[in-house]
Amino acid sequence: MNRTMRLAAAVVLALPCAVLAGPSDYVYTPDVEQGEREIDVKLGTWRFNDAGVRESVGSVGFGYGATSWWFTEAYLKVKKESGGRARYDAFEWENKFQLTEPNRYAVDLGLITEIEIPRERREEGYEIKIGALVQGDVGRLRWNANLLFERVLRGRSDTPRVTEIGYQLQAKYPVSPMVEVGVQALGEMGKWDHWEPREEQNHRLGPAIFGKVKLQGRESIKYNAAWLIGATRGSPDNTLRLQAEYEF
């Protein structure tokens, strides 16, 4: 585990801290299973009613549990905006590090890093994300709380390059061997050391459902979906998101 901590520290020091939200964003968890492979599909759409704007994002990726504490995944994103057509948007590479042995302490800790290379990278720059992952249990209720930072590097855009801060919250409770119900909350507050006024921040909250269907051997299909409602003027009025994974 000391090796894990050293690697995590190196990642933290090497990356400029960087949370530009998207409708397909999902809640990270610190769990890693060595040797697990997965095909991951994420879909999301949100709408700002006042502006009459809808944005939809989809992605497909392949992930692999390289060690007992490191999971890596690469995926391609497609984006569609109001009045436009769906087109390739970005390539993302995500790495998750499990920092503590599962269930050994009061909470499980993890680290997430992600780099996004947009299609228009020369104009938009590269997005770097890093975050702390915390997971715990209260009886049969499992909760997650994540703190994320994101920053855009390089690019020709005149948009100021600042480190933004955001969060992810989740709680779920099993109602059957294959189904759990719960709630998710995602938000972004703006610059990490100088938050936007509350009404301009992006906060979404709503019900979620989770499930896992066992197939043959170690194969399974895992899914989660949520309907999130905006809590401020700066939030989309409604967000629908879905994630499905084929694990093998």
Side-chain angles (χ1 to χ4, degrees):
M1 189 54 63
N2 289 337
R3 181 184 177 190
T4 306
M5 297 301 290
R6 288 197 298 270
L7 176 59
V11 173
V12 172
L13 294 173
L15 289 178
C17 282
V19 178
L20 306 178
S24 64
D25 285 0
Y26 72 105
V27 177
Y28 304 114
T29 65
D31 311 293
V32 172
E33 183 176 342
Q34 185 172 7
E36 179 182 273
R37 294 165 293 172
E38 70 175 36
I39 297 173
D40 183 10
V41 176
K42 291 185 283 286
L43 302 171
T45 183
W46 64 20
R47 180 176 175 82
F48 292 83
N49 289 338
D50 291 344
V53 174
R54 176 176 293 280
E55 180 181 305
S56 301
V57 174
S59 67
V60 59
F62 177 78
Y64 177 63
T67 72
S68 62
W69 48 268
W70 172 34
F71 185 85
T72 185
E73 180 178 7
Y75 50 100
L76 303 176
K77 293 177 62 177
V78 174
K79 183 177 179 180
K80 182 181 184 302
E81 298 179 338
S82 297
R85 59 185 180 85
R87 63 177 186 173
Y88 166 70
D89 183 59
F91 168 82
E92 293 193 10
W93 182 32
E94 178 184 294
N95 289 279
K96 180 169 62 176
F97 304 93
Q98 184 174 281
L99 303 182
T100 59
E101 296 181 18
N103 304 315
R104 182 172 181 179
Y105 305 103
V107 296
D108 298 333
L109 301 179
L111 176 77
I112 191 78
T113 68
E114 184 178 280
I115 180 169
E116 178 177 300
I117 305 174
R119 183 174 65 92
E120 303 294 343
R121 59 186 178 278
R122 293 183 179 177
E123 181 67 24
E124 299 177 13
Y126 302 84
E127 295 179 13
I128 303 292
K129 180 186 294 183
I130 187 169
L133 314 181
V134 183
Q135 178 173 275
D137 296 300
V138 179
R140 299 178 67 194
L141 179 75
R142 168 154 290 188
W143 59 267
N144 296 86
N146 304 329
L147 185 64
L148 306 173
F149 298 88
E150 186 168 330
R151 188 178 182 94
V152 174
L153 304 178
R154 303 180 68 176
R156 299 172 182 170
S157 171
D158 294 331
T159 303
R161 303 307 192 200
V162 299
T163 299
E164 300 186 13
I165 187 170
Y167 66 88
Q168 298 177 335
L169 302 173
Q170 177 175 280
K172 59 182 182 179
Y173 187 86
V175 295
S176 79
M178 293 188 297
V179 178
E180 298 170 296
V181 296
V183 62
Q184 291 181 339
L186 298 90
E188 295 78 35
M189 289 82 79
K191 190 177 178 182
W192 75 276
D193 59 349
H194 191 274
W195 295 3
E196 298 288 344
R198 184 182 181 281
E199 283 303 305
E200 296 179 17
Q201 298 175 19
N202 186 340
H203 299 279
R204 294 98 65 205
L205 170 71
I209 186 170
F210 311 81
K212 185 172 184 178
V213 180
K214 293 290 293 182
L215 302 176
Q216 295 182 348
R218 66 184 300 171
E219 296 180 43
S220 63
I221 296 176
K222 190 176 179 181
Y223 67 87
N224 70 87
W227 172 37
L228 308 177
I229 300 172
T232 62
R233 288 201 308 268
S235 310
D237 295 88
N238 288 279
T239 302
L240 294 173
R241 52 158 307 278
L242 167 69
Q243 180 183 18
E245 301 169 346
Y246 169 55
E247 300 176 345
F248 58 103

